[in-house]
Amino acid sequence: MDQIKLENFRKEYGFEIPIIRSLSPGECLKIRENLLHKFSLDDIDEFFKIDKFSRLDGFNADEENFDLKAVFRKLNITTPNEICINFNKFESIDILRFDDLSKFFSDIWYPSLDDIEIFDINLSFIISVRHYGRIYYVKLQN
């Protein structure tokens, strides 16, 4: 996660953002390779251009009352205890408790700046939140 987000969070709440851990470059590489394999792609840039995502209508992450838990309910995805967040081509991935991500979502995703992917460690689903608030998703076979 960007240092500025960590600093802003600390200033706002008086404690550190509750990241369980940031994945090492090697762990990120394994997830990226697994993702490329699942989509039969050669390059991660292709992943962000593919049309395998579906748009989730009725939700916009930029709205003040955005509810990440409602997104998961709508998609019929059981919320995992821990959730992964990708910030940059699957080269920077943090793991948070799902409840913390939901509670502090607006402190983690910055509108107009961030495109993030939210997924479980097994890549059984990926929810992509674009910088303009639109939400896309894909459910994958394990």
Side-chain angles (χ1 to χ4, degrees), residues 78-91:
T78 303
T79 55
N81 289 328
E82 296 180 356
I83 195 84
C84 301
I85 307 165
N86 167 56
F87 292 97
N88 181 31
K89 296 186 179 184
F90 293 87
E91 294 174 356

Side-chain angles (χ1 to χ4, degrees), residues 56-68:
L56 182 61
D57 292 324
F59 291 90
N60 188 317
D62 203 15
E63 293 177 354
E64 190 173 326
N65 61 347
F66 176 70
D67 182 358
L68 186 61

Side-chain angles (χ1 to χ4, degrees), residues 21-32 90-93:
R21 71 185 185 97
S22 297
L23 297 184
S24 70
E27 291 171 310
C28 291
L29 179 61
K30 285 181 183 177
I31 288 176
R32 199 166 49 250
F90 293 87
E91 294 174 356
S92 175
I93 300 170

Side-chain angles (χ1 to χ4, degrees), residues 124-142:
S124 60
F125 65 86
I126 301 172
I127 296 171
S128 182
V129 182
R130 311 314 299 160
H131 62 275
Y132 47 89
R134 178 77 62 198
I135 298 171
Y136 296 87
Y137 69 95
V138 62
K139 295 181 184 179
L140 301 164
Q141 302 294 333
N142 284 330

Side-chain angles (χ1 to χ4, degrees), residues 24-81:
S24 70
E27 291 171 310
C28 291
L29 179 61
K30 285 181 183 177
I31 288 176
R32 199 166 49 250
E33 287 173 349
N34 188 12
L35 183 70
L36 293 174
H37 175 74
K38 285 184 182 231
F39 281 99
S40 300
L41 299 171
D42 296 321
D43 185 282
I44 196 65
D45 289 327
E46 294 176 48
F47 170 79
F48 296 102
K49 298 175 186 174
I50 60 174
D51 59 356
K52 296 185 183 204
F53 281 84
S54 300
R55 190 171 80 186
L56 182 61
D57 292 324
F59 291 90
N60 188 317
D62 203 15
E63 293 177 354
E64 190 173 326
N65 61 347
F66 176 70
D67 182 358
L68 186 61
K69 291 180 181 180
V71 169
F72 275 71
R73 283 192 300 272
K74 175 75 173 179
L75 295 174
N76 200 25
I77 298 173
T78 303
T79 55
N81 289 328

